[in-house]
Amino acid sequence: MQTLLTLSIALFAGLMLSRLAKLLKLPAVTAYLVAGILVGPYLLGAFGVAGLGFTSMENIDTYGLLSDVALGFIAFSIGNEFRWSQLKKTGRQATIIGIFQAVVATLLVDAALIGLHFLMPDKLPLPTAIVLGAVASATAPAATLMVVRQYKAKGPLTDLLLPIVALDDAVGLVLFAVSFGVAKALVMGHVDVLSVVLEPILEVVCSLLLGLVMGLLFSFFERFFHSRSKRLAMSVTFVFLTVALSMVEFHIGGVHVAFSSLLVCMMLGTVFCNVCDFSEELMGRVDRWTAPLFVLFFVISGAELELSVFREWTVVLIGAVYILFRSAGKYFGASLSARATKCEPSIVKYLGVTLLPQAGVALGMAIKAETLGECGALVANITLFSVLIYELVGPYLTKVALTHAGEIEPEGKVSARGETIHK
């Protein structure tokens, strides 16, 4: 009863605040995140009444399965953006921009924080600065996708944006693994070549291979059904199964092998949309089915935002430097590479702004960094601080950028009640 009550309150709060966000011309994602803060452990949950909001961070962790499944469907949907017909037009540009902007963000943050380390070595250890540079490369696909869907954004910027966000995660995993290996060597006093070089490459390759196999199996079994409802059920089945399999970890000798659920599910969607001839219609039905799940995902994400990080001035200072230089790296990295690949002026001008949101992947990196001890704990706190800022501001900036690029139509549309509404 308490679980259902908490979920219903979270869903209700998110939906009602989205109406207020509409009046303020803010994206619904922002409303869901704010709703999460309101029903989270710092406000409604602070009363400690079971079922009335999320009472603690440990209580939020019990809903982790919902977040895992939601991220699986989000990645599956982004895989739909890798249709071969589209990749022939934008694949080269997306690859170059996706890699370049991630590397530039990492280098700028590294340079800024290493410089800050020399000014305040007792507050910002060198391993922390190096790891945070890699965390800066990650972009949140979920918030970006939700803004694109809510406003039905269409155009060259949108077509390029989603593949870049997907590729960004693969690049970020490699950059993080290398930086984490260097930071670990500084802390422990020795370098583990396997963890620095081999394991990140294996994670990306194995994730893509698992997604390829699951996508081919999905496309094969889907053809046994002609009913829309059964095809939808089979789609849900395979996303569930793929998320589950992506959680498997094992060792081969001294090498740790793991999967990225985001990459696996993206590959699942990519293979399916290119192999199955009715994939577009079916993925549209999946998107409608998952709408309440996505609302819950963002409300839970809002509840997870750690407001206590504001208590430490060092976290706020380092976090502010991190946000400033990461934003500059994303913007100028995307702008320069877009210009070099001869993209349209609107892409050169606005693409970098749409790459600012940061959440799940960065938090996953921060959790792994905690194994570095005190250095890792500082990485986690600064990442939490930046995620709090980026998740609340990022979706709005994405909407503004897409609007100025002319890819969000200002005209109204007809609601389910036959009334004219405006975006």
Side-chain angles (χ1 to χ4, degrees):
M1 183 193 75
Q2 292 172 358
T3 299
L4 289 175
L5 183 59
T6 299
L7 290 177
S8 61
I9 288 174
L11 190 56
F12 181 77
L15 291 172
M16 295 308 295
L17 273 184
S18 70
R19 296 300 85 196
L20 178 60
K22 187 178 183 64
L23 295 175
L24 299 174
K25 297 184 178 180
L26 294 173
V29 175
T30 303
Y32 303 149
L33 292 166
V34 172
I37 294 174
L38 293 178
V39 301
Y42 289 98
L43 291 172
L44 189 60
F47 291 102
V49 180
L52 189 65
F54 302 99
T55 55
S56 65
M57 289 299 175
E58 291 73 20
N59 178 229
I60 297 172
D61 289 340
T62 62
Y63 299 90
L65 179 62
L66 274 174
S67 296
D68 290 337
V69 171
L71 276 174
F73 278 106
I74 287 167
F76 178 66
S77 296
I78 291 177
N80 192 39
E81 303 301 320
F82 287 90
R83 291 183 180 273
W84 180 244
S85 58
Q86 184 66 27
L87 286 179
K88 286 190 290 186
K89 301 176 184 176
T90 62
R92 174 179 165 275
Q93 293 173 326
T95 301
I96 293 173
I97 297 171
I99 295 173
F100 190 78
Q101 56 83 26
V103 172
V104 170
T106 294
L107 292 177
L108 274 185
V109 172
D110 271 339
L113 294 184
I114 290 173
L116 192 60
H117 157 73
F118 288 111
L119 293 176
M120 40 190 293
D122 55 329
K123 299 294 184 182
L124 178 59
L126 184 58
T128 300
I130 292 172
V131 173
L132 281 171
V135 174
S137 65
T139 300
T144 304
L145 178 67
M146 289 295 284
V147 172
V148 168
R149 279 193 184 165
Q150 179 185 351
Y151 296 102
K152 295 181 172 58
K154 290 182 181 179
L157 174 57
T158 304
D159 291 340
L160 200 58
L161 170 60
L162 293 177
I164 288 173
V165 170
L167 179 63
D168 184 273
D169 289 327
V171 178
L173 287 172
V174 175
L175 290 173
F176 175 77
V178 173
S179 298
F180 180 74
V182 173
K184 191 173 182 180
L186 291 173
V187 173
M188 304 297 181
H190 66 277
V191 179
D192 184 353
V193 179
L194 285 178
S195 64
V196 173
V197 179
L198 185 57
E199 289 184 2
I201 297 174
L202 269 179
E203 181 170 347
V204 173
V205 172
C206 290
S207 297
L208 296 178
L209 285 176
L210 177 58
L212 172 64
V213 172
M214 296 304 295
L216 292 174
L217 289 173
F218 179 27
S219 302
F220 174 75
F221 285 108
E222 195 75 54
R223 296 179 184 276
F224 286 102
F225 302 94
H226 302 285
S227 162
R228 289 181 175 179
S229 59
K230 286 186 173 60
R231 282 178 169 173
L232 175 61
M234 182 61 74
S235 303
V236 173
T237 299
F238 263 86
V239 174
F240 280 9
L241 179 59
T242 303
V243 171
L245 293 176
S246 68
M247 295 177 179
V248 174
E249 298 182 18
F250 56 93
H251 289 81
I252 300 177
V255 180
H256 176 248
V257 181
F259 301 94
S260 164
S261 61
L262 279 174
L263 289 181
V264 176
C265 291
M266 283 178 193
M267 193 62 175
L268 170 73
T270 299
V271 173
F272 178 64
C273 76
N274 283 287
V275 172
C276 184
D277 54 4
F278 53 83
S279 61
E280 194 161 5
E281 183 269 340
L282 183 57
M283 293 188 90
R285 292 179 63 83
V286 172
D287 291 343
R288 291 191 290 273
W289 179 85
T290 53
L293 179 63
F294 289 171
V295 175
L296 280 174
F297 167 73
F298 283 104
V299 174
I300 292 172
S301 297
E304 287 177 319
L305 294 177
E306 185 63 75
L307 302 184
S308 63
V309 294
F310 287 108
R311 296 172 185 167
E312 300 180 38
W313 72 267
T314 53
V315 171
V316 175
L317 173 62
I318 298 168
V321 173
Y322 170 90
I323 289 171
L324 177 63
F325 281 87
R326 177 184 179 270
S327 300
K330 288 289 181 180
Y331 182 80
F332 290 109
S335 179
L336 290 172
S337 53
R339 185 177 288 109
T341 54
K342 299 180 180 179
C343 292
E344 295 183 15
S346 61
I347 296 175
V348 174
K349 188 174 182 179
Y350 297 112
L351 176 60
V353 179
T354 66
L355 298 174
L356 295 183
Q358 189 174 45
V361 177
L363 290 173
M365 293 176 177
I367 290 171
K368 186 172 182 179
E370 287 182 329
T371 58
L372 295 175
E374 291 184 8
C375 294
L378 185 55
V379 170
N381 284 336
I382 293 168
T383 303
L384 286 167
F385 174 82
S386 68
V387 165
L388 175 62
I389 304 301
Y390 276 127
E391 281 297 270
L392 293 176
V393 177
Y396 175 72
L397 293 178
T398 299
K399 178 205 168 185
V400 170
L402 291 173
T403 300
H404 284 297
E407 302 195 5
I408 292 179
E409 296 294 335
E411 291 82 9
K413 61 180 182 178
V414 178
S415 73
R417 292 192 176 96
E419 302 168 346
T420 299
I421 57 177
H422 298 275
K423 299 175 184 179

